[in-house]
Amino acid sequence: MERILDPLWEETNAEEPAPYLQHLADNRITLDVVPNGCRFFLQLTNDPRCHLELVEFLRLNTNDVLIPQALNVLPRYTGLKSLVLKGGHDFDENGKTKSGLLSSLPSELCSLSNLQHLDLSFNSLTELPLCVTSLSCLSSLLLCYNQIRTLPDTISNLRNLELLSIMSNQLAVLPGEIGQLGKLKTLDLSENKLACLPEDIAGLQECTELDLSGNCLTELPETMCQLVSLQQLHLHSNLLVSVPVGLAVLPSLKCLDLKNNQLRYVPEEIMNCPCVRLQGNPIGVAEPTPSTDDHVPVLKSKEIYLSSEDKSFLVTPDGGRVFLPLGPQFCFPLGAVSSNVTIYFRILPPDQEHVKLGHHDVLLSYTLELQPHDIQFNQDVEICIPYFVKRSMRKRKDSLDVPNILVTPRTLRKREVVIRTYSGENWTDLATTICTKRNLAICRVPHFSWFFVVSRLVKDQCQVPKDGEVLFSSVDQNIRIDFPPGATEETRTISMQVLPVSTADLQRITGDSQSTTSPLLCLSQSSSDNFLCPVKIQLPLPTGVTGDTLDRSRLVLLHGDPQAQNWTDITSQVVFEITHIYARFQVDHFSWYWLWYTTKTYIGEMAKNVYTRLRMYQVNFVALQRKRDPEQVLLQCVPKQKVDTTMKKLKDRYKGPEPSDMVEIVEGEQFFAEFEQGLQLHSERPDCVNGKIVFVFYSRMKNIKEVYMTSQADRKEKDVKGQVSFYRGSVPAGLPKEATKHRKGPNSHWMATLPLKLPKLKLQYGENEMGKNGQSLPPLNLGNAETGYLTETNLSSIARRIGHEWKTIGRNLGLSTGELDRISYNKRDNLDEQIFDMLFSWARKIYDQQDCVQRLIEAMQESGRQDIAEEIEAVIKLGKQKYEQSILRLGLDQGNSSEDSAIAMSQS
């Protein structure tokens, strides 16, 4: 085989080989999993020592920003036989794969006349580039996970194609020319939007596998019965109401998958076919009566996709699958309900009210609430909840501060993901299966409640009968529990969890290089009674210790309570049986056991401190002000290893002090932020108490809030310098001044303080606006007392959040093109003034109309600014609450007019 690289280059150049040359292997260049792969590819292409025409296999990553430049030089690789241009190598913050940047191909690629294999999966293609259909030697073409809506008629040019995969696209129509691909053996069109198939599909006489699952097909052409080579036909998850009877007699057919369709009647020939699969079809069930409620999406026998505006849906006895915004989904089997039932749902941000975590648990999802809670289904309903997993996290060699319970794919092997629910009396973990490819946790339930996903220590369980049993740990096979015959009269359920403790972390926390431990063993049982005879526990000896080198005076066995608040030395109460690597002892009841090897005399408090520190994450606090609007403050609690990337993302829009010093905090711990030294919250929010912003730390969530601050001091003459401080615990009724000053010591709740500054006030358009006659205009308020006001200050805050999309918002508010053009011209040198002029011009026109606030919300939604729409709704909701509270406080009855109520409220 000829070499791509000129063999004489070593003799003519004594320098070290360039880094990109290491990715050459015979006639292959593999750069799709190499950082900066496209840069290396361009360097290699321009290297005169390389014979590009000898390259036959090439792989590139289309998530690389240099992929456009790489595409331009591809035609120089005239000998290519296999070309892979795939995306999907990068992931967003939720762990979802990012599509590649490829949306088209240069027409010059048609010169790659030797190309036989082309993979363009996981990209952003909306149509098949025409140059592809000129590659007449292609035998396999993969277009999976794009956004392709149609195929060109010239697809018929690919006469040598044997494999075509277009799964997970947006295909709604299939051209008849597809039938001219006479050599095609495998055709995958699954997960598209096909509603029908062309009659010409019968031309695929060599096709052995055809996958049409996950489409919208209601019927099949009779010509499909002519596909005599077909062995696998996948039609599940469509809307089929009938199938051609001739499919049953296809001579080579080995699998006919018709699951989860709308088939109420199936021909006897199909029913008797040994390779057919019909589960999930309403065979023999009569059509349900349609719902008369036009506002509630109706689930019949297929699936529905709900939007963020939907709050409920209707389930019929036919069942089906429901997809909620943000990813949750559930499947109602046939007959799960006896009559139509309306299901209400909420996706809640995590808080301590709806989330219950144990020690070492990690929250991996939002909370899903399904109502009514008391409904009992005839058959279990399947619930799927997406969860967050960090795709990769490497621990730096020079740092030991990555928390032990950081959830990554690697640590999930020693942990397990479960769905937790509220049973009406307590929180329980459900039997959960995991789809790791899609990061879905799946369970089946007979009723609805609250649900969320957690990662917990692996729980091994067994049933112990009178005859005895042995329980091994799946985390550490060296740990076992022996239950002798007669240990119990009635069968008990035993649960075991193991927490591995690294020697490095232990010695870092204790500062004692001589201390080591075994894994922490957590045992529990379904009975409160002691065992009738001793149970033997086997633990591995602490790290670095063997039976030959053991000094028994240093071996300490600690007994802990289930909350790990107290650790008691029980070494003198047990008899150790020591082998070369094991320590065995007997107990008659269960709790937590921890084997230490140390020179310390009293280690109960030290163990308590170590256990607490093992649960903690190291974090930094961030407080930044938006550059365009210093009154808007971003507050965030960031795990230490994410601080640099977080600050890098925010630096273009925000400015402020460096992050705080490192602080340790526990998963699910509540803390709050308070503005101090002249600064205060601009207005109350639902997550604010007594002017303090409440947080709950969850390591997999963003722990971020944006608020507006203001100052009581006069800002007309000078800047106001203040600070924001973060404190542990729930918000106190009052924070004494001495508590803010004394911020050291074991009892201090203070964690960090960051400086903030409000610049000297500048007059904004719309604030203290003067009329043409020099008189001040009256205050501008939208709405009314009962529905809640948007004040002039609220409008100013909204205006500061609008950017270059202000014209779109103006058009959706009903302003004419002429008005917008006038504002654009008159204020052409100042974007802020353009925005204020647009918003306040509209507000002055319609402030007295009843639906003005709703029109503003809808305009923001139509303009893609759901964040501003939600902020307006929150302000209005708070205004309504305050109004209702004032009514109750003053004892006004329902007979009072809104005008009287407003007067009374203002007097109060």
Side-chain angles (χ1 to χ4, degrees):
M1 180 182 293
E2 296 185 76
R3 295 184 60 180
I4 297 173
L5 192 64
D6 192 332
L8 298 178
W9 80 272
E10 293 179 346
E11 301 177 11
T12 59
N13 191 344
E15 296 179 0
E16 290 293 324
Y20 54 83
L21 296 177
Q22 64 181 313
H23 303 293
L24 289 173
D26 295 328
N27 57 351
R28 300 172 182 268
I29 300 177
T30 303
L31 292 166
D32 55 337
V33 293
V34 177
N36 302 312
C38 284
R39 178 166 62 85
F40 287 155
F41 174 70
L42 293 171
Q43 292 172 344
L44 187 139
T45 303
N46 295 322
D47 193 322
R49 299 167 298 187
C50 297
H51 299 290
L52 306 184
E53 70 279 1
L54 299 181
V55 178
E56 296 183 352
F57 302 89
L58 174 61
R59 300 178 68 95
L60 293 176
N61 174 12
T62 57
N63 290 114
D64 195 314
V65 293
L66 294 178
I67 192 64
Q69 292 90 321
L71 291 176
N72 290 332
V73 301
L74 269 180
R76 295 167 62 181
Y77 289 78
T78 55
L80 277 178
K81 293 183 179 179
S82 174
L83 176 59
V84 177
L85 300 173
K86 286 179 62 175
H89 295 279
D90 291 346
F91 304 90
D92 61 19
E93 293 180 348
N94 295 331
K96 290 186 63 177
T97 55
K98 289 184 179 180
S99 297
L101 304 177
L102 199 66
S103 58
S104 63
L105 290 177
S107 58
E108 292 78 9
L109 288 189
C110 64
S111 63
L112 301 179
S113 57
N114 295 314
L115 201 62
Q116 299 174 14
H117 174 85
L118 179 59
D119 189 347
L120 302 174
S121 302
F122 291 96
N123 278 294
S124 303
L125 298 171
T126 57
E127 60 183 5
L128 181 63
L130 290 178
C131 64
V132 173
T133 61
S134 299
L135 303 173
S136 57
C137 289
L138 271 185
S139 61
S140 61
L141 176 59
L142 291 91
L143 302 166
C144 314
Y145 296 98
N146 278 277
Q147 300 295 318
I148 297 174
R149 298 183 177 88
T150 59
L151 292 177
D153 296 344
T154 52
I155 190 75
S156 60
N157 294 341
L158 302 177
R159 297 299 177 92
N160 292 305
L161 205 60
E162 297 180 2
L163 167 64
L164 176 58
S165 179
I166 320 179
M167 69 175 295
S168 292
N169 277 270
Q170 302 293 319
L171 278 178
V173 178
L174 201 61
E177 287 73 13
I178 197 80
Q180 297 180 28
L181 302 178
K183 293 185 179 181
L184 197 64
K185 290 181 171 58
T186 301
L187 176 58
D188 188 349
L189 298 169
S190 60
E191 303 298 331
N192 279 280
K193 297 183 178 180
L194 294 173
C196 62
L197 297 175
E199 299 280 341
D200 300 316
I201 200 169
L204 302 178
Q205 290 296 296
E206 297 294 324
C207 188
T208 59
E209 182 173 357
L210 177 56
D211 193 341
L212 295 163
S213 60
N215 280 280
C216 304
L217 298 172
T218 58
E219 60 181 1
L220 301 174
E222 290 288 340
T223 54
M224 283 190 66
C225 301
Q226 301 173 23
L227 299 176
V228 292
S229 300
L230 205 58
Q231 298 178 14
Q232 305 277 337
L233 178 55
H234 302 280
L235 293 164
H236 67 81
S237 305
N238 275 280
L239 300 171
L240 292 173
V241 295
S242 65
V243 289
V245 67
L247 293 178
V249 294
L250 286 174
S252 303
L253 196 62
K254 297 179 181 178
C255 175
L256 175 57
D257 191 346
L258 294 168
K259 292 186 297 185
N260 300 320
N261 276 280
Q262 304 263 11
L263 297 172
R264 298 180 181 277
Y265 168 76
V266 178
E268 185 176 352
E269 293 85 351
I270 298 289
M271 291 286 288
N272 295 332
C273 183
C275 63
V276 71
R277 301 171 185 172
L278 290 167
Q279 298 94 325
N281 283 284
I283 299 173
V285 179
E287 286 279 356
T289 303
S291 169
T292 57
D293 188 346
D294 296 332
H295 303 290
V296 180
V298 180
L299 177 62
K300 291 186 179 178
S301 57
K302 176 57 179 171
E303 57 189 32
I304 59 171
Y305 294 81
L306 303 179
S307 68
S308 57
E309 287 77 27
D310 294 319
K311 305 299 180 186
S312 63
F313 58 92
L314 191 69
V315 180
T316 71
D318 276 356
R321 186 170 289 274
V322 182
F323 296 85
L324 301 188
L326 298 182
Q329 52 185 277
F330 22 87
C331 181
F332 293 86
L334 181 68
V337 294
S338 302
S339 58
N340 292 353
V341 176
T342 300
I343 302 296
Y344 299 88
F345 67 91
R346 292 193 300 167
I347 299 176
L348 304 168
D351 56 37
Q352 290 185 324
E353 179 182 358
H354 301 111
V355 173
K356 179 67 174 177
L357 296 180
H359 289 194
H360 304 288
D361 288 345
V362 179
L363 181 67
L364 298 183
S365 75
Y366 297 107
T367 301
L368 171 65
E369 183 185 11
L370 299 171
Q371 293 182 320
H373 291 173
D374 56 352
I375 186 173
Q376 291 288 330
F377 297 107
N378 301 328
Q379 299 183 53
D380 287 354
V381 175
E382 179 182 273
I383 297 179
C384 305
I385 304 178
Y387 61 89
F388 306 130
V389 175
K390 185 71 174 177
R391 285 287 177 177
S392 63
M393 180 61 65
R394 294 182 179 178
K395 189 171 181 179
R396 289 170 44 188
K397 294 181 180 179
D398 59 345
S399 173
L400 293 173
D401 53 18
V402 177
N404 289 351
I405 53 178
L406 178 66
V407 180
T408 69
R410 178 178 297 178
T411 58
L412 280 176
R413 298 170 191 167
K414 295 185 178 180
R415 304 173 64 84
E416 58 188 352
V417 174
V418 296
I419 295 178
R420 188 163 293 170
T421 185
Y422 187 67
S423 63
E425 297 180 355
N426 49 44
W427 292 92
T428 57
D429 292 343
L430 301 171
T432 306
T433 57
I434 300 300
C435 177
T436 54
K437 185 177 180 180
R438 299 171 61 190
N439 289 345
L440 280 178
I442 306 167
C443 68
R444 302 182 71 87
V445 295
H447 60 84
F448 280 166
S449 182
W450 290 273
F451 304 92
F452 58 88
V453 183
V454 298
S455 168
R456 71 179 187 188
L457 298 177
V458 173
K459 181 179 288 187
D460 296 303
Q461 292 184 315
C462 74
Q463 301 291 321
V464 179
K466 293 177 61 176
D467 298 336
E469 185 59 87
V470 178
L471 175 61
F472 286 91
S473 167
S474 60
V475 174
D476 187 339
Q477 291 293 322
N478 296 313
I479 298 176
R480 62 180 283 174
I481 316 293
D482 288 274
F483 302 89
T488 178
E489 290 184 349
E490 297 181 354
T491 301
R492 305 186 189 190
T493 301
I494 305 298
S495 299
M496 171 171 60
Q497 291 178 292
V498 173
L499 174 65
V501 180
S502 76
T503 302
D505 285 344
L506 177 73
Q507 294 178 354
R508 173 176 59 88
I509 295 172
T510 62
D512 179 12
S513 61
Q514 303 300 314
S515 294
T516 61
T517 73
S518 68
L520 171 59
L521 179 63
C522 309
L523 298 173
S524 61
Q525 59 173 330
S526 57
S527 173
S528 59
D529 297 332
N530 289 355
F531 291 100
L532 300 180
C533 58
V535 172
K536 182 180 290 187
I537 296 176
Q538 174 182 289
L539 292 175
L541 288 171
T543 305
V545 180
T546 66
D548 299 332
T549 62
L550 178 71
D551 179 355
R552 284 188 176 244
S553 65
R554 296 178 57 184
L555 193 64
V556 179
L557 180 63
L558 296 179
H559 169 279
D561 63 84
Q563 294 301 318
Q565 295 299 311
N566 297 291
W567 292 93
T568 306
D569 183 350
I570 62 169
T571 310
S572 61
Q573 302 175 27
V574 300
V575 176
F576 282 114
E577 175 189 340
I578 305 296
T579 69
H580 182 64
I581 58 174
Y582 299 127
R584 300 187 180 104
F585 56 93
Q586 294 183 331
V587 297
D588 61 3
H589 64 283
F590 276 173
S591 187
W592 292 11
Y593 298 97
W594 204 354
L595 192 62
W596 283 60
Y597 193 70
T598 179
T599 57
K600 302 295 183 182
T601 305
Y602 302 102
I603 65 170
E605 283 300 315
M606 185 167 68
K608 179 179 178 180
N609 177 56
V610 169
Y611 180 81
T612 301
R613 294 282 300 279
L614 286 174
R615 296 176 55 209
M616 288 186 167
Y617 285 84
Q618 296 185 331
V619 302
N620 299 83
F621 294 100
V622 173
L624 301 173
Q625 295 173 262
R626 188 178 283 270
K627 291 180 179 179
R628 284 186 51 207
D629 182 10
E631 293 182 349
Q632 185 175 353
V633 183
L634 179 146
L635 303 175
Q636 188 172 9
C637 176
V638 187
K640 187 176 180 180
Q641 70 274 8
K642 297 182 181 179
V643 170
D644 291 341
T645 54
T646 299
M647 296 298 290
K648 186 177 180 179
K649 291 179 182 178
L650 296 174
K651 68 178 182 179
D652 292 337
R653 293 175 293 147
Y654 296 87
K655 63 180 179 179
E658 291 296 313
S660 71
D661 292 337
M662 186 273 293
V663 177
E664 291 188 330
I665 195 167
V666 176
E667 177 89 6
E669 182 175 349
Q670 189 178 77
F671 63 96
F672 64 91
E674 180 178 24
F675 291 102
E676 299 170 340
Q677 294 189 359
L679 300 181
Q680 61 185 18
L681 276 177
H682 186 276
S683 62
E684 289 287 346
R685 296 159 39 121
D687 56 354
C688 295
V689 180
N690 299 328
K692 303 170 180 65
I693 306 103
V694 180
F695 292 79
V696 180
F697 173 74
Y698 296 108
S699 58
R700 301 305 301 143
M701 307 299 171
K702 290 189 175 180
N703 307 298
I704 185 172
K705 295 187 181 181
E706 287 198 70
V707 297
Y708 279 88
M709 67 176 179
T710 186
S711 170
Q712 293 179 337
D714 188 359
R715 294 167 52 201
K716 294 180 180 179
E717 302 296 332
K718 61 179 181 179
D719 299 342
V720 175
K721 297 180 179 180
Q723 63 189 28
V724 61
S725 294
F726 297 87
Y727 299 88
R728 295 186 191 274
S730 57
V731 176
L735 196 64
K737 292 183 178 180
E738 56 269 19
T740 63
K741 295 178 181 178
H742 183 66
R743 292 176 167 170
K744 302 294 181 182
N747 297 323
S748 173
H749 285 186
W750 172 83
M751 293 186 290
T753 294
L754 293 169
L756 296 172
K757 180 178 73 172
L758 279 178
K760 186 171 64 173
L761 193 62
K762 295 181 181 179
L763 187 64
Q764 296 283 0
Y765 184 87
E767 297 177 1
N768 300 323
E769 184 182 358
M770 302 297 291
K772 292 182 179 179
N773 58 0
Q775 299 298 316
S776 176
L777 294 173
L780 177 61
N781 294 319
L782 302 184
N784 55 60
E786 292 187 28
T787 61
Y789 279 122
L790 276 183
T791 66
E792 193 165 327
T793 302
N794 296 141
L795 287 175
S796 298
S797 298
I798 293 168
R800 295 188 187 102
R801 297 192 60 183
I802 299 173
H804 290 281
E805 73 281 6
W806 68 272
K807 281 191 175 182
T808 302
I809 295 174
R811 280 191 288 269
N812 289 327
L813 285 172
L815 295 178
S816 67
T817 303
E819 289 177 289
L820 295 173
D821 289 343
R822 175 186 57 78
I823 294 172
S824 179
Y825 179 79
N826 291 340
K827 310 292 182 180
R828 56 188 177 277
D829 297 327
N830 192 317
L831 176 62
D832 288 341
E833 289 188 3
Q834 290 176 339
I835 296 169
F836 274 88
D837 198 348
M838 177 275 296
L839 188 60
F840 279 87
S841 295
W842 170 80
R844 294 286 180 201
K845 288 181 179 179
I846 53 83
Y847 73 93
D848 57 346
Q849 298 181 18
Q850 290 290 328
D851 64 342
C852 55
V853 175
Q854 185 59 34
R855 287 169 61 184
L856 181 58
I857 292 172
E858 292 173 356
M860 293 301 174
Q861 292 172 336
E862 293 169 0
S863 306
R865 293 305 304 265
Q866 181 66 29
D867 56 330
I868 299 180
E870 291 175 356
E871 180 182 329
I872 297 171
E873 290 174 336
V875 171
I876 294 300
K877 182 178 180 181
L878 184 62
K880 290 180 181 179
Q881 292 174 350
K882 288 187 174 182
Y883 175 77
E884 292 169 357
Q885 291 170 0
S886 67
I887 296 297
L888 294 174
R889 187 166 60 248
L890 296 173
L892 299 177
D893 59 50
Q894 296 179 353
N896 289 340
S897 69
S898 60
E899 182 179 356
D900 294 338
S901 302
I903 295 173
M905 184 172 65
S906 65
Q907 292 174 345
S908 66

